[in-house]
Amino acid sequence: MRQRVITAAIGGSLFIVFLILGGLWFALLIFLLAVLAYREMIRMAGIPLFFAPSVLGLVFLLVLFWSFLHNANLIQVSPLFVISTETLFVLFMVLFLLITVVTKNRVTSDHFGPYLLAVFYIGIGFAQFVSARETEGLAFIFFVLLVIWATDSGAYFIGRAFGKRKLCPSISPNKTIEGSLGGIVFGLMGGVLIQFFTAPFVHYGEALSLALLVSVASQAGDLIESALKRYYGVKDSGTLLPGHGGVLDRFDSLIFVFVLLFLLERF
């Protein structure tokens, strides 16, 4: 617990400083976290980092971030070098399928899932986080983060105090329905408090709607990460953060939340 608290205090403080700074400094930090999360994902799947498709995935991750940074006006490049996410996905798929032929099935379709998650799930989640920091503002980001943290805390404490019915025992045995509902209540309360002090939205209805979405999505993101770790037979995604595991262990909720926010922008 002591190690966990020290890591959270140091890492959290540095993260907040970069978050407040915003701009390219924050973008570089998040890109580094995305690369580390990419490495954790393919490592969990038992795939070497220095492997042709792994290098290809890193290149696509970089291009994905490049496009998001351009759209957020953090970098200015020729439109010729900015590729839509849809085009990038199709191009990645085509190149990957060609690699399966060139390598005579040393790279197989079984590898596609981990790479797809590593590049697009992780990449879009982190890149949308950076984009939202620049386009929606700091108050919006703090709103989302504090709802996630409030949900996590509420689920933990309510689950410990009142949890009896298992939420999803085959994936995460310790999570309970009572804890999940408590997390949503805490998340909504956190959203109302942030709206009261910083007013990132015009109406409280908007704040409550987003807080509900973020609270539910953050718990889903945590369960998704648990399902992946259970499938690959690992306790933690990595060991970078003492007491917390890896980058994916710490940012699993945030990634899924911002993937959903990315989708909402397109509907």
Side-chain angles (χ1 to χ4, degrees):
M1 178 59 71
R2 180 183 177 185
Q3 189 179 54
R4 186 180 177 87
V5 170
I6 292 173
T7 301
I10 297 174
S13 299
L14 288 173
F15 183 79
I16 294 298
V17 168
F18 277 87
L19 177 61
I20 293 172
L21 283 174
L24 280 175
W25 285 109
F26 180 63
L28 288 172
L29 172 66
I30 299 303
F31 178 68
L32 174 61
L33 291 175
V35 170
L36 293 171
Y38 172 92
R39 177 179 177 272
E40 289 175 0
M41 178 64 76
I42 63 171
R43 186 177 180 182
M44 279 196 299
I47 304 171
L49 182 61
F50 297 103
F51 190 42
S54 300
V55 175
L56 176 68
L58 278 175
V59 171
F60 271 81
L61 186 66
L62 175 61
V63 175
L64 184 70
F65 257 81
W66 186 273
S67 296
F68 271 73
L69 296 185
H70 173 78
N71 291 332
N73 295 317
L74 280 171
I75 56 172
Q76 296 298 323
V77 294
S78 167
L80 293 174
F81 293 97
V82 179
I83 305 174
S84 71
T85 309
E86 295 82 2
T87 303
L88 198 65
F89 175 82
V90 174
L91 183 58
F92 179 79
M93 180 180 66
V94 169
L95 289 177
F96 186 89
L97 291 173
L98 289 174
I99 286 177
T100 64
V101 175
V102 171
T103 61
K104 298 177 181 178
N105 259 350
R106 193 163 67 92
V107 177
T108 72
S109 58
D110 290 340
H111 293 101
F112 188 65
Y115 283 122
L116 192 65
L117 290 173
V119 175
F120 290 95
Y121 176 59
I122 293 171
I124 289 174
F126 276 122
Q128 181 66 20
F129 183 30
V130 175
S131 180
R133 167 64 182 89
E134 299 306 314
T135 57
E136 302 295 334
L138 190 58
F140 175 84
I141 295 299
F142 272 124
F143 179 92
V144 173
L145 291 178
L146 288 172
V147 169
I148 291 174
W149 293 336
T151 298
D152 187 52
S153 299
Y156 176 77
F157 289 113
I158 298 300
R160 281 185 65 103
F162 306 104
K164 293 181 179 179
R165 292 172 293 177
K166 298 298 183 181
L167 178 65
C168 196
S170 62
I171 291 177
S172 187
N174 295 326
K175 287 182 171 56
T176 62
I177 294 174
E178 292 82 2
S180 177
L181 294 174
I184 292 173
V185 172
F186 272 59
L188 291 173
M189 290 169 57
V192 169
L193 285 174
I194 298 302
Q195 173 66 13
F196 179 79
F197 286 108
T198 65
F201 304 100
V202 177
H203 304 292
Y204 272 88
E206 293 178 83
L208 284 170
S209 297
L210 183 63
L212 179 61
L213 172 68
V214 170
S215 184
V216 173
S218 69
Q219 295 190 61
D222 187 43
L223 286 171
I224 289 167
E225 171 69 8
S226 296
L228 286 171
K229 290 189 292 186
R230 187 165 289 272
Y231 176 77
Y232 289 121
V234 297
K235 182 178 182 295
D236 295 315
S237 65
T239 57
L240 179 68
L241 305 171
H244 293 267
V247 173
L248 283 174
D249 294 312
R250 189 68 275 166
F251 290 91
D252 51 2
S253 296
L254 181 144
I255 291 170
F256 190 66
V257 165
F258 277 98
V259 166
L260 288 187
L261 293 178
F262 169 82
L263 287 175
L264 283 176
E265 281 191 357
R266 282 147 181 81
F267 285 102

